[in-house]
């Protein structure tokens, strides 16, 4: 029989020198499509059932979540936690709830069993339909660049999708295993967003976390595909670190994060230059912003709401970029470029940018990938970048473009 443990401020992070063998991978192995799974560099969570669901009404999301947590505590739930997903559109309903059962473990990366090989994806007859077609996506990038040269805005993130239809039912637990084991130091998730629909993915980007009075944000912007050739892979990483176009794109995002967090922090540290992080498929420019809260009642979720959407997933100015996205993308983003994560009644939590993901329903997967478009962007390069980002999920289902 499983036991229930709740996320709390007193829960210590895993000690990499003394990993708990099998604790995290046992939760990964126990995932079923009716559960909520979230793995971060700080912890692994597996939730079942709902004590309370966060309602959708005229109150702010932070107010609704706080009220839901208070109601769960009043009903006898010990140390309630909210977990789930928030959409790109602030006005759309979130998929957040307080689970009836929450099992926790140290991070996947601290579990030696995560290094065991994962099974090869079962062969499936995938039918792939790009929306929009790559040529139409490139035309949208070109149009945005032309408008930027006219001074209408300075950046927009344009996305495209791949709709994959399988001849067999989707095996979500197997997909989650491959995503988690490929990038165990990232943020892997599988969360229900509607009856019969699951948001599943592996994001490299922390929007914001709070532990006590300490705040961390890790904006990513500026990317290049990895190479299987070691020398070429190193060359690409070095080129990214010196790319004027990518450094400008990254600086825009870091400045926006700085401006959003500064009113809430008594101290904020922003490194002068980015570093690199890597996933299995991409190199990213990365800056880790750290700070100390000015007011102890400022929650991780309220900070996430102040930050979301950053220029890394939307653009700048935000309102104009949103309008360009609505005019250019022939689909609703839903939870793509939204936020996934957890939060507790003390205001602690981790909230992650929802990228490298897909929405799964019955036999269909909709994959999403976006690229930051600035005045120096080229349609062919941005189309290639989105194709590279699709590889994270295509590898999990055993197919390619």
């Amino acid at each position: 029989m499983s036991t229930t443990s709740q996320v709390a401020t007193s829960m210590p992070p895993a000690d990499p020198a003394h990993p708990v063998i099998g604790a995290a991978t046992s939760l990964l192995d126990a995932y079923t499509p009716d559960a909520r799974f979230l793995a971060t560099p700080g912890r692994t969570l597996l939730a079942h059932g709902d004590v309370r669901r966060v309602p959708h009404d005229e109150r702010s999301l932070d107010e609704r979540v706080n009220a839901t947590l208070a109601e769960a505590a009043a009903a006898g739930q010990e140390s309630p936690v909210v977990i789930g997903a928030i959409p790109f559109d602030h006005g759309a309903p979130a998929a957040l709830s307080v689970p009836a059962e929450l099992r926790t473990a140290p991070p996947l990366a601290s579990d030696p069993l995560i290094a065991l090989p994962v099974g090869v994806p079962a062969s499936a007859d995938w039918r792939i339909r790009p929306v929009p077609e790559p040529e139409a996506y490139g035309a949208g990038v070109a149009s945005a660049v032309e408008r930027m040269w006219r001074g209408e805005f300075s950046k927009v993130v344009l996305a495209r999708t791949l709709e994959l239809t399988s001849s067999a039912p989707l095996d979500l637990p197997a997909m989650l295993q491959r995503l988690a084991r490929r990038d165990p130091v990232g943020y892997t998730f599988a969360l229900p967003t509607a009856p019969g629909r699951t948001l599943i993915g592996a994001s490299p980007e922390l929007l914001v976390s709070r532990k006590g009075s300490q705040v961390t944000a890790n904006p990513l912007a500026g990317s290049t595909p990895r190479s299987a050739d070691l020398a070429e892979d190193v060359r690409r990483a070095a080129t990214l670190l010196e790319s004027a176009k990518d450094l400008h794109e990254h600086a825009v995002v870091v400045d926006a994060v700085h401006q959003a967090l500064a009113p809430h922090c008594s101290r904020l540290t922003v490194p002068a230059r980015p570093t690199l992080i890597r996933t299995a498929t991409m190199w990213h420019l990365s800056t880790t912003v750290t700070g100390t809260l000015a007011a102890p009642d400022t929650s991780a979720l309220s900070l996430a709401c102040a930050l979301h959407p950053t220029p890394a997933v939307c653009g700048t100015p935000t309102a104009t970029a949103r309008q360009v996205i609505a005019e250019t993308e022939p689909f609703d983003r839903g939870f793509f470029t939204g936020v996934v994560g957890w939060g507790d009644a003390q205001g602690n939590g981790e909230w992650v940018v929802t990228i490298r993901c897909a929405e799964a329903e019955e036999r269909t997967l909709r994959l999403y990938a976006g690229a930051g478009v600035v005045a120096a962007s080229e349609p062919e390069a941005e189309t290639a970048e989105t194709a590279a980002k699709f590889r994270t999920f295509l590898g999990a289902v055993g197919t390619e473009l």
Side-chain angles (χ1 to χ4, degrees):
M1 177 176 295
S2 64
T3 59
T4 302
S5 59
Q6 296 291 338
V7 175
T9 58
S10 60
M11 187 176 76
D15 180 356
H18 301 89
V20 181
I21 296 176
T25 51
S26 68
L27 298 190
L28 178 62
D29 295 341
Y31 167 76
T32 55
D34 61 335
R36 292 174 172 82
F37 180 89
L38 176 65
T40 79
R43 70 207 73 236
T44 304
L45 309 177
L46 180 67
H48 289 90
D50 293 326
V51 171
R52 292 281 191 284
R53 293 188 179 182
V54 176
H56 182 65
D57 56 36
E58 70 283 352
R59 293 173 296 173
S60 71
L61 181 59
D62 194 33
E63 290 174 328
R64 285 179 277 139
V65 166
N66 287 338
T68 303
L69 288 168
E71 290 166 5
Q77 182 84 349
E78 184 180 355
S79 303
V81 170
V82 69
I83 184 171
I86 300 167
F88 174 67
D89 181 357
H90 278 261
L96 296 167
S97 68
V98 177
E101 178 191 19
L102 179 61
R103 297 167 60 192
T104 70
L108 286 174
S110 73
D111 188 338
L113 299 186
I114 197 66
L116 293 177
V118 65
V120 176
S123 59
D125 181 20
W126 290 103
R127 186 170 70 252
I128 302 177
R129 184 171 77 95
V131 180
E133 293 287 343
E135 296 77 11
Y137 177 78
V141 171
S143 174
V145 168
E146 181 181 352
R147 293 176 65 179
M148 278 184 268
W149 279 109
R150 294 202 300 263
E152 294 184 34
F153 52 96
S154 57
K155 178 184 177 179
V156 67
V157 178
L158 294 179
R160 62 189 184 105
T161 74
L162 295 179
E163 293 183 358
L164 276 64
T165 304
S166 173
S167 58
L170 301 179
D171 188 346
L172 294 183
M175 290 180 198
L176 184 67
Q177 285 275 352
R178 287 187 284 271
L179 288 168
R181 292 178 184 274
R182 193 176 192 189
D183 281 313
V185 298
Y187 301 85
T188 306
F189 51 89
L191 302 163
T193 55
R197 185 178 301 168
T198 299
L199 179 70
I200 180 170
S203 174
E205 185 169 3
L206 172 69
L207 180 62
V208 68
S209 68
R210 187 201 122 167
K211 183 178 181 182
S213 63
Q214 300 306 301
V215 174
T216 303
N218 184 206
L220 308 181
S223 308
T224 195
R226 301 285 306 277
S227 172
D229 178 81
L230 177 59
E232 173 62 15
D233 196 42
V234 171
R235 187 196 69 79
R236 291 183 185 184
T239 299
L240 180 61
L241 269 177
E242 300 300 326
S243 166
K245 177 259 185 187
D246 290 287
L247 288 170
H248 168 69
E249 180 185 342
H250 187 80
V252 168
V253 178
V254 172
D255 183 63
V257 170
H258 185 184
Q259 296 300 320
L261 290 180
H264 304 282
C265 294
S266 59
R267 179 193 62 82
L268 200 61
T269 300
V270 183
R273 283 186 61 84
T275 57
L276 288 172
I277 68 165
R278 63 185 179 185
T279 68
T281 58
M282 301 293 296
W283 286 104
H284 298 283
L285 292 177
S286 165
T287 295
T288 300
V289 178
T290 56
T292 302
L293 283 178
D297 59 347
T298 304
S299 70
L301 180 58
S302 65
L303 295 173
C305 291
L307 287 163
H308 174 61
T310 72
V313 297
C314 183
T316 188
T318 303
T320 305
R322 278 188 179 275
Q323 184 61 37
V324 174
I325 289 168
E327 294 168 355
T328 308
E329 296 178 355
F331 55 86
D332 183 349
R333 287 193 178 188
F335 289 89
F336 170 64
T337 61
V339 186
V340 298
W342 68 271
D344 65 19
Q346 289 72 45
N348 301 292
E350 297 173 284
W351 297 97
V352 180
V353 182
T354 314
I355 52 177
R356 310 296 187 276
C357 65
E359 285 198 304
E361 189 170 14
E362 297 180 351
R363 300 181 182 219
T364 301
L365 283 170
R366 170 172 269 189
L367 280 60
Y368 298 86
V373 180
V374 294
S377 293
E378 298 177 354
E380 297 81 5
E382 306 304 344
T383 303
E385 180 177 321
T386 54
K389 289 174 177 175
F390 281 133
R391 285 167 47 201
T392 295
F393 215 99
L394 291 173
V397 299
T399 190
E400 59 185 26
L401 286 173

